[in-house]
């Protein structure tokens, strides 16, 4: 179901006490507030259970940053979708550009990760987005289409309806360069069109599409006001409770 979501991707930041303070800070500042979006935090795996404990008592939902493409077994260092489910982690980022780049994750592997999450009733936040060179060569629509087709379009309509997509142009991540509202809206409308073509217009209208890339308290309102932008996947600006909550309140 299409809904507004603001999700914080903490990446590999913060030690335990800092993570706990940030979680508590966000939960406290949101308490009793009328919100127009779901709020998700995605801390490092080691802190997920701490976060889900807070989530039980607050509006917060918790997401992981990665998941294995296997169910269980001899995969040292990996975390399975069933494990995420067992500590009530509801969401999981899949295919972030940093994982595509540094860990060589390709669309075929990401499709398997998506399947595992859906098997265990978790919601994948599937990331797509072009690098600067691809945009400069005007290949960005083609690149995103391929990422989505190969990572998601093997799903049937029911399965697909449990997926969230995040468009994160790689050139805008951590750079302070944000896609303009027009650029974000253009890509989101394109993605919605792909979904309509593959499934149906109704399915497309019901899909949640997030924007990520240098989204902060100053630019969130304008980005989120675009017709096809249903919220954000926030990196750096999710590491400070006050700023993250301002972004949440941009809706
Ligand atoms: P920044 O908000 O730090 O640019 O990161 C965006 C991101 O990668 C979220 O997943």
């Amino acid at each position: 179901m299409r809904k507004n979501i603001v999700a914080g991707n903490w990446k590999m930041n913060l030690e335990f006490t800092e993570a706990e303070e940030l979680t508590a800070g966000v939960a406290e500042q949101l308490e009793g507030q009328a919100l127009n979006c779901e709020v998700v935090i995605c801390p490092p795996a080691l802190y997920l259970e701490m976060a889900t404990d807070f989530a039980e008592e607050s509006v917060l939902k918790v997401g992981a940053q990665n998941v294995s493409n296997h169910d269980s077994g001899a995969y040292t260092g990996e975390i399975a979708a069933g494990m995420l489910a067992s500590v009530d982690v509801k969401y999981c980022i899949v295919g972030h550009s940093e994982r595509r780049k540094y860990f060589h994750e390709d669309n075929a592997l990401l499709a398997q990760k998506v399947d595992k999450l859906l098997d265990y009733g978790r919601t994948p936040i599937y990331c797509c987005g072009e690098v600067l060179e691809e945009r400069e060569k005007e290949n960005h629509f083609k690149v995103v289409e391929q990422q989505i087709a190969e990572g998601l379009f093997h799903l049937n309509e029911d399965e697909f309806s449990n997926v969230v997509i995040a468009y994160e142009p790689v050139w805008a991540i951590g750079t302070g360069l944000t896609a303009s509202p027009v650029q974000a809206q253009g890509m989101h409308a394109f993605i919605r069109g792909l979904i309509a073509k593959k499934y149906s217009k109704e399915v497309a209208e019901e899909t949640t599409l997030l924007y990520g890339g240098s989204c902060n308290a100053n630019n969130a309102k304008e980005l989120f006001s675009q017709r096809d932008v249903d919220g954000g996947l926030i990196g750096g600006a999710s590491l400070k409770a006050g700023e993250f909550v301002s972004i949440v309140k941009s809706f």
Side-chain angles (χ1 to χ4, degrees):
M1 193 190 68
R2 184 167 173 181
K3 58 183 160 189
N4 297 329
I5 298 176
V6 173
N9 174 9
W10 295 4
K11 309 191 180 182
M12 196 175 73
N13 290 297
L14 308 178
E15 295 193 351
F16 184 78
T17 312
E18 298 165 321
E20 205 174 30
E21 277 170 14
L22 176 56
T23 309
V26 172
E28 259 164 44
Q29 290 184 39
L30 293 178
E31 201 178 321
Q33 306 274 337
L35 298 175
N36 292 318
C37 64
E38 192 159 294
V39 184
V40 182
I41 56 169
C42 303
L46 189 59
Y47 309 150
L48 286 170
E49 210 186 340
M50 173 278 291
T52 55
D53 282 347
F54 272 96
E56 271 177 29
E57 313 281 319
S58 74
V59 295
L60 285 179
K61 301 273 188 293
V62 178
Q65 298 176 14
N66 184 30
V67 70
S68 172
N69 60 322
H70 299 284
D71 281 306
S72 66
Y75 300 101
T76 302
E78 291 290 274
I79 293 176
M83 297 174 185
L84 297 179
S86 72
V87 293
D88 213 19
V89 170
K90 299 230 179 317
Y91 289 89
C92 182
I93 299 168
V94 177
H96 191 282
S97 60
E98 288 147 18
R99 295 217 56 94
R100 290 175 185 267
K101 179 174 175 191
Y102 302 125
F103 302 96
H104 313 294
E105 295 192 353
D106 61 16
N107 296 328
L109 175 76
L110 300 174
Q112 294 175 11
K113 293 187 177 206
V114 166
D115 290 345
K116 289 296 166 211
L117 289 167
L118 295 176
D119 282 350
Y120 287 90
R122 308 300 99 187
T123 302
I125 301 176
Y126 183 83
C127 299
C128 57
E130 79 285 358
V131 300
L132 186 58
E133 197 189 347
E134 289 162 342
R135 180 161 280 263
E136 283 172 349
K137 288 190 175 146
E138 298 190 0
N139 270 338
H140 45 298
F141 290 116
K142 223 170 116 203
V143 167
V144 167
E145 178 169 3
Q146 190 171 4
Q147 290 168 337
I148 290 181
E150 293 181 2
L152 295 177
F153 281 176
H154 62 291
L155 300 174
N156 66 34
E157 191 174 312
D158 270 0
E159 292 163 339
F160 184 83
S161 67
N162 292 311
V163 171
V164 169
I165 294 175
Y167 168 58
E168 300 206 309
V170 180
W171 48 270
I173 295 177
T175 57
L177 286 175
T178 321
S180 68
V182 171
Q183 286 172 321
Q185 168 57 27
M187 183 58 84
H188 283 223
F190 173 74
I191 294 171
R192 222 179 277 289
L194 293 176
I195 301 166
K197 205 157 80 186
K198 168 72 187 173
Y199 298 100
S200 69
K201 203 160 184 299
E202 291 70 36
V203 173
E205 279 304 314
E206 285 300 308
T207 305
T208 301
L209 303 180
L210 309 182
Y211 168 79
S214 299
C215 184
N216 58 41
N218 295 324
N219 58 29
K221 206 178 179 69
E222 207 185 345
L223 285 161
F224 297 171
S225 68
Q226 303 302 309
R227 194 203 168 279
D228 290 299
V229 178
D230 306 312
L233 184 54
I234 319 297
S238 71
L239 295 172
K240 294 209 173 86
E243 175 147 26
F244 185 60
V245 169
S246 307
I247 296 171
V248 168
K249 288 186 180 164
S250 305
F251 269 116

